[in-house]
Each structure stands twice: as structure tokens, then as C-alpha cells.
Amino acid sequence: MDKVHIEFTLNREAVALDIPTQMTALAVIREVIGLTGTKEGCGVGECGACTIEVDGQAVNACLMLGAQLDRTVVLTVEGLALNPAGSAKDAAKVHLHRIQEAFLDNHGVQCGFCTPGILMSAHALLTENPSPDDGEIKKAIAGNICRCTGYQHIFSSVKAACSAEFSG
């Protein structure tokens, strides 16, 4: 099997890997690196459970080859929460991201399977536009399927996370 060497930044940490050329970005994140917050739902880019940020853009990791991660900056749901030192590694000192807090406060989570992808879509939106209107919020989360909530609490959660102080 042919392999390719990739180097990228994942959740503010440098990563260097040799991976099979046909491996998806989703498989790199889940199977090689071991970050399982990013979910595999449909595997064809329809459900949004695998949404990550690559260079600030929300993308479906199931549709992206791992080799395309080379020389990018990647953020997964595990990278949203930070400890004061700036690393997501020390769980005892983790501070939830403003978006995660808004989802908790506004009951935006039920079973939780879709939540990581929706959080990443919302984060990409709010990083680009801290004060989106209702239509922009709906468009940003339109690629994420939730079979539990009916979307009102998800929408309310994203709306609550909006502020002029949003800093990504």
C-alpha cells in the first residue's frame, strides 16, 4: 500500500504522520490519532457528524483525503475546550468553549452523536461572523442532521453563543 507523509497542526499541536494515500481525513483523526469526538455517520458527506475545521472552514472529514491535511491547521471538537496553558490535554483544568457552554445552557444536546459536527459548524460560522443573522445560522448548520432535537434548541444555542467578543 502506498503511503504519504503529512505534517499539519491539529488542535494547536504539530502532527507528522505517514498514512496510506487513500485514507480519509476522518480515518486519520479517529483511527490513527485516536480523537473519537469526530463521528462517522453516513460516510458520504450528508449528515455532518464528521465536520471539522480545516484552515478555518467547516468541512466533512469523510469526504477529504488524509493527504489533503498536509500543511493545514485543523480543529476538532476536542480542540474547542482549553486549559489555561492552551492545550486540550489536561482534562482536570479544561474550560469549555463559549459554544459548548451555550449548548449546555440551552439544551442543544440530546443523544449527542451529531453534536461535535454541529459545534464545529457553529464555531466556523462564529469565527468568521460573530453576529450572524438567523438565516446565516440556519445555513451554517444546514449540513448537520440531528434526529433528536428538532433543531430549535440547537439554533437557540448557536444564537446564544453569538457576541461581539467571540474570539474563535
Side-chain angles (χ1 to χ4, degrees):
M1 182 178 299
D2 290 336
K3 291 200 174 215
V4 63
H5 181 78
I6 60 172
E7 295 181 18
F8 61 102
T9 302
L10 175 63
N11 299 334
R12 290 167 288 285
E13 296 183 17
V15 174
L17 301 168
D18 292 312
I19 60 165
T21 56
Q22 295 303 309
M23 181 175 272
T24 65
L26 177 62
V28 170
I29 291 166
R30 288 185 57 85
E31 298 167 21
V32 176
I33 298 172
L35 296 179
T36 57
T38 304
K39 306 295 185 211
E40 180 167 10
C42 66
V44 294
E46 292 292 325
C47 72
C50 67
T51 303
I52 60 173
E53 280 184 44
V54 178
D55 293 335
Q57 299 295 310
V59 299
N60 292 328
C62 72
L63 296 179
M64 182 177 197
L65 287 174
Q68 292 175 283
L69 296 174
D70 192 38
R71 294 177 292 204
T72 65
V73 175
V74 178
L75 184 68
T76 68
V77 69
E78 290 91 349
L80 288 181
L82 294 175
N83 73 26
S87 171
K89 288 185 176 180
D90 188 356
K93 297 178 183 175
V94 165
H95 296 284
L96 292 180
H97 191 281
R98 171 181 199 86
I99 295 171
Q100 293 167 310
E101 289 177 355
F103 269 68
L104 288 173
D105 293 345
N106 292 278
H107 312 288
V109 177
Q110 283 192 12
C111 85
F113 190 83
C114 67
T115 305
I118 294 171
L119 288 171
M120 297 313 299
S121 293
H123 183 269
L125 168 67
L126 297 181
T127 299
E128 183 178 317
N129 178 3
S131 300
D133 63 31
D134 291 358
E136 291 167 319
I137 294 171
K138 289 176 184 176
K139 182 178 178 183
I141 63 173
N144 299 89
I145 295 174
C146 176
R147 297 177 66 93
C148 300
T149 66
Y151 298 98
Q152 188 53 49
H153 290 295
I154 292 170
F155 177 84
S156 297
S157 298
V158 177
K159 192 85 168 156
C162 297
S163 80
E165 300 91 46
F166 187 82
S167 62

